[in-house]
Amino acid sequence: MLPTVRGVLFDKDGTLFDFNATWMPLYLETADEVAGGDKALALRLLVESGYDEVTRRLDPRSPLAAGTNQQIAEIWARVAGGEWSVQRLTRRFDANFAKSMAMRPTPVTDLAVLFGHLKRKGLRIGVATMDSHAAARAAVETFELVGLVDFVCGYDSGHGHKPGPGMVEAFCRAVELPARDVAVVGDTPHDMHMARAAGAGLALGVLTGVSPREVLADHADRVLASIAELETLLA
């Protein structure tokens, strides 16, 4: 039997939006830019930060899958060297990755409909991402979720980083719920570990991101094909 759930905290990319369709084109474009068109260097940048050139998938624990822009920048600055400092790369990532909203990322379901159903059940809703706070707010606005989402935070919101508990704790403070009444939904082990660290009532994995079922199953209470199954699960 599932515990009582009165709030749901969603990861963004790979959970609300299809990860590969949204992010891999941006990663490839940015790597090519940083490498100055050197295909071998561009591939090395990606591989060093979590890309498997054989499977063409990301390691779900890697910076590209679950890290911050600065964490990726630290690796790429070391590999690329030259004029690309960590600070310059972080600014470039923030600018390039902001394009994700302009490119209309692919939602895994009709987010406004799903969130509307959850709100009518009395649930509080939050979004916690390792992308920037600005990008998270842009997603909420672009997909007409304003008024449905009670809390938004990014890696730069001052609540720490996944897999630490800070983002869940901040959500709980904002919506005045104990962690045991919150379900955390995400596509990586970092999301599941964040849920555990904060004492969340449920850790729910989804298969629309970078982690296969066998990876998530070791860390999640349940693994769902996508968040489209969430309403039935919490009925």
Side-chain angles (χ1 to χ4, degrees):
M1 183 175 178
L2 294 178
T4 299
V5 172
R6 295 196 288 157
V8 184
L9 183 63
F10 293 93
D11 171 53
K12 180 167 72 72
D13 301 301
T15 301
L16 302 182
F17 304 104
D18 180 282
F19 188 94
N20 288 324
T22 301
W23 284 99
M24 284 313 301
L26 287 170
Y27 284 152
L28 293 169
E29 174 188 328
T30 306
D32 187 64
E33 176 187 353
V34 172
D38 182 333
K39 299 301 182 184
L41 176 56
L43 179 59
R44 188 178 168 212
L45 292 170
L46 295 167
V47 169
E48 289 284 335
S49 47
Y51 178 69
D52 187 319
E53 63 180 307
V54 176
T55 64
R56 297 185 179 181
R57 294 183 63 91
L58 299 180
D59 180 337
R61 299 174 180 82
S62 70
L64 284 181
T68 68
N69 291 350
Q70 182 172 336
Q71 288 168 339
I72 302 169
E74 289 169 355
I75 295 172
W76 286 25
R78 172 177 53 79
V79 174
E83 63 189 55
W84 290 103
S85 66
V86 172
Q87 293 75 16
R88 185 184 178 200
L89 277 166
T90 300
R91 289 194 298 270
R92 175 57 60 194
F93 291 155
D94 286 343
N96 281 12
F97 297 169
K99 295 178 183 178
S100 65
M101 286 302 114
M103 294 169 64
R104 293 292 297 188
T106 305
V108 300
T109 190
D110 189 318
L111 299 177
V113 170
L114 173 62
F115 282 20
H117 289 166
L118 295 178
K119 291 295 282 188
R120 285 191 288 275
K121 291 176 180 289
L123 298 177
R124 309 301 295 273
I125 296 173
V127 176
T129 177
M130 290 293 270
D131 199 358
S132 68
H133 178 88
R137 288 299 316 176
V140 168
E141 293 167 4
T142 299
F143 287 87
E144 300 181 353
L145 305 177
V146 175
L148 297 173
V149 173
D150 303 291
F151 172 86
V152 173
C153 74
Y155 79 90
D156 52 355
S157 297
H159 306 307
H161 300 159
K162 302 175 185 180
M167 292 181 173
V168 179
E169 292 171 346
F171 173 62
C172 291
R173 289 193 299 271
V175 299
E176 299 182 332
L177 288 176
R180 65 177 178 273
D181 289 351
V182 170
V184 173
V185 188
D187 70 306
T188 72
H190 273 17
D191 295 306
M192 305 300 99
H193 295 161
M194 175 179 70
R196 302 298 187 210
L202 273 179
L204 303 174
V206 290
L207 300 176
T208 46
V210 296
S211 302
R213 182 178 294 275
E214 58 269 22
V215 169
L216 286 173
D218 289 338
H219 308 284
D221 294 308
R222 299 283 182 89
V223 178
L224 310 178
S226 78
I227 59 171
E229 298 181 356
L230 192 60
E231 187 179 3
T232 300
L233 180 70
L234 299 180

